[in-house]
Structure formats: C-alpha cells, structure tokens
Amino acid sequence: MRSDPDRVLLSRARRVMALQTAAAITVSLLVLGFLALIVVVHSQNTATTKLLKQTAATTDDVNDPPPDVWIFKQHPDGTVEASEDAPEGLPDHSVLDRVRADGMPVTTTIGGREGGYRALTRLRGDQVVQVVTSRHEQHDELERLLGALAVGEFVGLLVALLSAALLARRATAPLAQALARQRHFVADASHELRTPLTQLHTRAQLLQMDLRAGADLANVTSDVDHLVTGTRHLGEVVDDLLLSSQLSRRDDARLPVDIKAVAADVLANQADRAEAQEVELGLRAGTAGPFVVAGHHAALRRVLTALVDNALSHTPAGGHVRIDVGRSGATITVVVRDDGTGFDPADTERIFARFARGGDHDQRRFGLGLALAREVITGHGGTIEAWGRPGHGAAFTIRLPAAAGGDTA
C-alpha cells in the first residue's frame, strides 16, 4: 500500500521541527549548565584563595588552624614546624625552598585523592609559611553538581523531545488541514465540473450528428438550447471556484451596496428561468430603509444569486420564490424563501459544507454556492442561517450590519 505523499511530507517536517527544537533546548541547557559550573568553580577558588591568604597573614603558629587547613613553617635553619594530623606528603618542600630563594608568594595545587590540596606559600619575616587546605569538599560539591546537571540534561532532553514533538504537531496541524481541504476541494470540484462537461460533450456530439445528417434548423434548436444551458451551469461553477479562491485575498476596500437593488437585479436575471419553470418570483421590502451595507457588490450579488438559484432548483412548477428585505436598527435582514421541496432539518448546517450532499434519501448536491455564501457573509461581519422542512420549502436568512450613513456610492 503506497503512503500518502502529503502525510509523509508532514511526518518528515514534524520530525525535523521536533529534532531542531529539541536540539536548541538541549544546547541551551548545556550552555546554562556550563555557565553554572564555571560560576561554582570560580566561587570555590575565590573562597579558597581568600581563606589561604587570611590564614597565612594572621597565623602566629601552626596550632589550631581552621578545619581542613594545615600550616607549615620553615625556619631559617631548614626545620619545618607542622600542624597536627597533617596529610602524608605535606608540606611541599620544593615550593618552600623556591619561595625562600626568590621571596615571591606562590599558589599551587598539590595532587592527591578527592581533588588534592590547594596551597599558598609566602615569606613572612625570616620564616616561609605554607598554608594548605583540602579540596575534597569542593571536589564532592562539583561531583554533586555534575550529577545534578547530567540528570537535568537527561530530563530536559526528554521534556524537550516531548515538547518539541507536541509543538511540531500543533504547528503543522493547520498545514495538514489545509492539504486535506485542498485534496477534498480538488476532488469535489473535479466531480462538480465533470457533470456539466459530460453533458456539454454529449450535446455537442448529438448536434454534430444532426448536422452531418442534414437536419434542418428546427430540429437542432433543442440541442443548441441545451448547449447554452450547459455552458451557463458550467460558468456558474467556474465563477464559484474563482470566488472561492479570491475570498482570502480580497482587499479590505468596501463600498456602500444597496441590498434591495442587488436583490431586484438578481431576480430580474432569473426571470426567464423562473418563467420557464412556471415559478413566481417576488421581492418585498420593508419601509425602514435604506438597505445599504458596506461590502463588495459582486460577492453579495453572487450570494443572492446562489440562494435564488438553489431555491429555483428545488421549487416545482406553480411554486413561489421570494426575497424579503428589511431593517431592524443597525442590522439589514435578507430572507430568500421558497415553498419547494425543502430539506431535512438535520442537514441545516451540513448544506453549507462545500459540495455537500443531502441526507440518506436525498441525493442532491449543493455545490459551492451555499458554502461560498456563508464565507462571503461571514467576511462581511454578518450571519446566514437556514430553515427547512421536507415538503414545506426552505428559507435562508442573512443578517448584515448596516453601512454608516446609508447612502450608496
């Protein structure tokens, strides 16, 4: 079974984002840990140096030194006086001799277990004093710090991986949805275009056959009429597709639009079709005008065209389609109603989905018209609601904010 290329691409993008984010967090933790280690080592060395200098400057004898500190004094005759319990290997006689020779104080590190020792050797009078302190506490502290940093880095790496994976999934979720919508849209649009194209091809073949057979004009008129109707349907689908692609890119420049005038224009353009179907069209407007909104004339006209077209498609001969325009305060209301076949109330929201189908016993397709109607109305700051009952018609109610001033351009 072949993998979905989009799914593979998204999975790869998520992995890359997760690894990059985790790596960035891990490096940040390492830098922070390294800086903390530097600060601790510097603090230890500073404290140790201060202790050695104070002890060397103030000590009068080798007795009672601070904890973990030993004092050694070398007399002019070379004998060395040492604190009790001095570790083996101390003092450092080579350093004592060097300081006695050149008189310069020296700070050295003496090797040993658990960090060794730190020593300060200086000349004091005719004596050379060497103060030595153990570094095992600093050594233990550094080991604890390194252990804590290692655990912290490990835990941080796990948290970074989990967080990065979650963030990557969330970051790519809109892309996954967009790709899914794109696939569905292309598939549905192709299906929607296939029917009128197939009909046009069939009618063109029939017309070609009639013309080659020498049929007179009267016999081919019906085929020509069907061709014209088919091209109109195809043009409507293409218009819907173009409007769909332009909605997200439409600029914010809006002009006053008289909804009543738009409704009258739409009904006038649908008059021939309604007459052919023996459906009565009507327009009723309230007295609380003007009915002006701020918006895009072409888009709003397409909305009303889609709603009237939908109403005519589902209204049998002898039925009625009417547009009611009204105003309540700062809200303009437009209702497109018919007394046709209606629809199941359970489909009230679903019919606004792109290329939605009817329920189990209703094989109608609603195309792009109703979906685009909602997108356009929502983009104008309004709402659109549907009402319907099987056999009792349908009504679509649009509410739009009235334009300030109320005068059309």
Side-chain angles (χ1 to χ4, degrees), residues 228-311:
V228 173
T229 302
T231 55
R232 179 176 64 83
H233 290 162
L234 182 60
E236 290 174 352
V237 174
V238 173
D239 287 341
D240 284 342
L241 291 173
L242 291 175
L243 180 58
S244 173
S245 65
Q246 294 169 359
L247 282 177
S248 60
R249 302 194 303 269
R250 187 178 296 277
D251 57 42
D252 293 331
R254 296 182 179 182
L255 299 174
V257 178
D258 187 340
I259 288 294
K260 178 182 176 182
V262 173
D265 183 47
V266 169
L267 292 180
N269 286 328
Q270 295 285 351
D272 292 340
R273 179 185 174 190
E275 183 179 357
Q277 295 181 202
E278 299 180 5
V279 174
E280 181 180 346
L281 297 179
L283 172 63
R284 185 171 64 184
T287 58
F291 309 105
V292 179
V293 301
H296 303 281
H297 184 280
L300 292 173
R301 184 181 184 280
R302 187 65 189 133
V303 169
L304 294 185
T305 299
L307 294 178
V308 173
D309 178 76
N310 179 70

Side-chain angles (χ1 to χ4, degrees), residues 21 109-110 113 123 140 154 187 191 196 219 314 339 346 348 364:
T21 305
T109 299
I110 303 174
R113 293 184 302 175
L123 186 65
D140 292 344
F154 179 74
H191 182 86
N219 292 331
H314 303 127
D339 51 10
T348 299
R364 290 176 297 171

Side-chain angles (χ1 to χ4, degrees), residues 202-406:
T202 301
R203 292 296 177 185
Q205 286 181 317
L206 292 175
L207 181 59
Q208 183 185 51
M209 293 172 59
D210 290 341
L211 291 175
R212 287 181 175 177
D216 55 25
L217 182 61
N219 292 331
V220 300
T221 300
S222 176
D223 289 334
V224 173
D225 291 340
H226 284 296
L227 277 176
V228 173
T229 302
T231 55
R232 179 176 64 83
H233 290 162
L234 182 60
E236 290 174 352
V237 174
V238 173
D239 287 341
D240 284 342
L241 291 173
L242 291 175
L243 180 58
S244 173
S245 65
Q246 294 169 359
L247 282 177
S248 60
R249 302 194 303 269
R250 187 178 296 277
D251 57 42
D252 293 331
R254 296 182 179 182
L255 299 174
V257 178
D258 187 340
I259 288 294
K260 178 182 176 182
V262 173
D265 183 47
V266 169
L267 292 180
N269 286 328
Q270 295 285 351
D272 292 340
R273 179 185 174 190
E275 183 179 357
Q277 295 181 202
E278 299 180 5
V279 174
E280 181 180 346
L281 297 179
L283 172 63
R284 185 171 64 184
T287 58
F291 309 105
V292 179
V293 301
H296 303 281
H297 184 280
L300 292 173
R301 184 181 184 280
R302 187 65 189 133
V303 169
L304 294 185
T305 299
L307 294 178
V308 173
D309 178 76
N310 179 70
L312 288 173
S313 298
H314 303 127
T315 302
H320 302 79
V321 174
R322 189 178 75 231
I323 300 180
D324 296 332
V325 182
R327 176 168 180 164
S328 177
T331 301
I332 305 295
T333 303
V334 182
V335 182
V336 179
R337 66 177 77 249
D338 63 73
D339 51 10
T341 58
F343 57 85
D344 190 333
D347 295 332
T348 299
E349 284 299 318
R350 191 155 57 86
I351 63 176
F352 288 104
R354 296 189 174 196
F355 304 105
R357 287 185 178 274
D360 296 336
H361 303 292
D362 185 355
Q363 298 304 314
R364 290 176 297 171
R365 290 179 63 87
F366 295 99
L368 273 170
L370 296 182
L372 290 180
R374 169 163 284 184
E375 291 184 31
V376 171
I377 297 303
T378 301
H380 281 73
T383 61
I384 180 170
E385 299 173 353
W387 174 93
R389 292 291 184 275
H392 293 81
F396 291 84
T397 302
I398 299 172
R399 294 182 177 86
L400 290 167

Side-chain angles (χ1 to χ4, degrees), residues 20-31:
Q20 290 178 342
T21 305
I25 296 175
T26 302
V27 170
S28 299
L29 292 175
L30 286 173
V31 171

Side-chain angles (χ1 to χ4, degrees), residues 50-61:
K50 183 178 180 181
L51 174 63
L52 293 175
K53 287 182 177 181
Q54 288 180 344
T55 303
T58 60
T59 184
D60 293 326
D61 53 44

